[in-house]
Amino acid sequence: MTSVSNNIYATLCNGKQIPLLGLGTFQSTSDDVKEVIKTAVGIGYRHIDTARAYRNETEIGGAIKELIDTGVIKRTDIFVTTKLRGTFHRPENVEHALKLSLEALQLEYVDLYLMHSPMALEYRGDDAFWPTREDGTLAHDDIHFVETWKAMEPLVTKGLTKSIGVSNFNGQQPSEILKINRIPCVMNQIENHPFLDQKELIDLCKSNDVMVTSYSPLGAPDRPTRKLGVNNIQMYE
């Protein structure tokens, strides 16, 4: 069986280490994700990626707690990433959102907290994931992601997360964060595969010491936004 010592790590721009290979849990349902996590850790995975929008943090947290309580791993062995839902982008909601995730995950801190998207959505309660208007379109909010980022930075100083970053940022959006950040933006997690190589974006991130995580390496034909009739360009540009 693979042990943690066999994992390959990269060093983020703030000096923290991150396992190069992570287990994404998008579309892992509550019915099976707990056993998936336990099996993955058993074969050597040490990086678990989730999000409030995935609606599986509670089950993932239960699996991690069981693994720690039974001595399979220590908390410091596992790298946990979760993400800020777009409905919590207003600065007064950012810390509350992370605390909801920590409660679900049964953790005192996460290793990496990402702004899931630059796109803000209206807040209509903690469990309103995809707010829509009467015509069925997404209910966007007008808060700029720079203001959201500023509210994320205190989460590091308060010890609620070790590092912060972004996800689904494209074009020059990362540059807007890099102009104002006091705490390093260590990561941009993006869709990246042979049909969407994102070379210019990746080069931009690399030139600013922002690491890139690639998700959906074989493509993403079933992302929820397609069901809403919204494509990637409309959402994130």
Side-chain angles (χ1 to χ4, degrees):
M1 180 177 291
T2 304
S3 68
V4 67
S5 61
N6 296 117
N7 277 272
I8 301 173
Y9 290 77
T11 301
L12 300 168
C13 64
N14 62 356
K16 306 293 184 184
Q17 288 198 314
I18 180 173
L20 282 182
L21 182 64
L23 178 72
T25 61
F26 174 55
Q27 295 183 322
S28 294
T29 67
S30 58
D31 293 332
D32 58 18
V33 71
K34 186 173 183 179
E35 289 305 313
V36 168
I37 297 299
K38 290 162 64 177
T39 300
V41 169
I43 63 174
Y45 277 91
R46 293 297 182 267
H47 180 182
I48 307 300
D49 180 281
T50 184
R52 177 153 181 86
Y54 300 170
R55 309 189 196 197
N56 57 20
E57 288 176 319
T58 297
E59 292 75 22
I60 290 172
I64 292 172
K65 185 178 188 302
E66 183 177 330
L67 291 165
I68 292 173
D69 288 348
T70 56
V72 176
I73 56 171
K74 301 186 294 292
R75 172 62 184 94
T76 52
D77 292 335
I78 196 82
F79 190 101
V80 179
T81 298
T82 194
K83 307 177 189 76
L84 175 70
R85 184 77 190 112
T87 49
F88 293 89
H89 272 211
R90 290 199 166 268
E92 63 270 23
N93 292 333
V94 170
E95 182 174 332
H96 173 62
L98 177 51
K99 286 181 175 178
L100 287 174
S101 289
L102 291 174
E103 181 180 7
L105 290 164
Q106 301 182 64
L107 297 174
E108 295 182 356
Y109 68 89
V110 291
D111 297 276
L112 179 58
Y113 196 49
L114 303 178
M115 192 186 316
H116 206 158
S117 162
M119 178 185 67
L121 300 173
E122 290 184 1
Y123 176 79
R124 297 182 182 173
D126 292 348
D127 297 319
F129 289 90
W130 293 102
T132 57
R133 304 194 188 282
E134 290 183 0
D135 62 2
T137 60
L138 282 172
H140 297 277
D141 201 352
D142 60 1
I143 190 73
H144 196 280
F145 58 78
V146 166
E147 299 307 311
T148 304
W149 176 266
K150 290 176 181 178
M152 289 177 65
E153 292 189 332
L155 304 178
V156 179
T157 57
K158 291 179 179 181
L160 300 176
T161 181
K162 299 292 186 181
S163 303
I164 51 177
V166 297
S167 179
N168 296 306
F169 274 52
N170 63 20
Q172 293 300 312
Q173 289 170 338
S175 298
E176 296 191 51
I177 296 293
L178 297 169
K179 290 175 184 176
I180 57 89
N181 67 306
R182 296 181 301 105
I183 291 178
C185 176
V186 304
M187 183 69 68
N188 186 11
Q189 185 179 121
I190 57 173
E191 183 178 347
N192 182 221
H193 47 73
F195 299 102
L196 186 64
D197 67 9
Q198 307 248 50
K199 183 180 186 303
E200 290 185 8
L201 177 58
I202 292 171
D203 288 345
L204 172 67
C205 291
K206 285 183 177 179
S207 68
N208 287 281
D209 211 12
V210 177
M211 195 169 290
V212 171
T213 296
S214 298
Y215 70 78
S216 298
L218 300 179
D222 195 34
R223 62 176 179 266
T225 49
R226 289 184 182 240
K227 298 174 184 178
L228 294 172
V230 181
N231 65 38
N232 212 38
I233 295 173
Q234 290 174 321
M235 282 186 63
Y236 300 132
E237 284 193 345

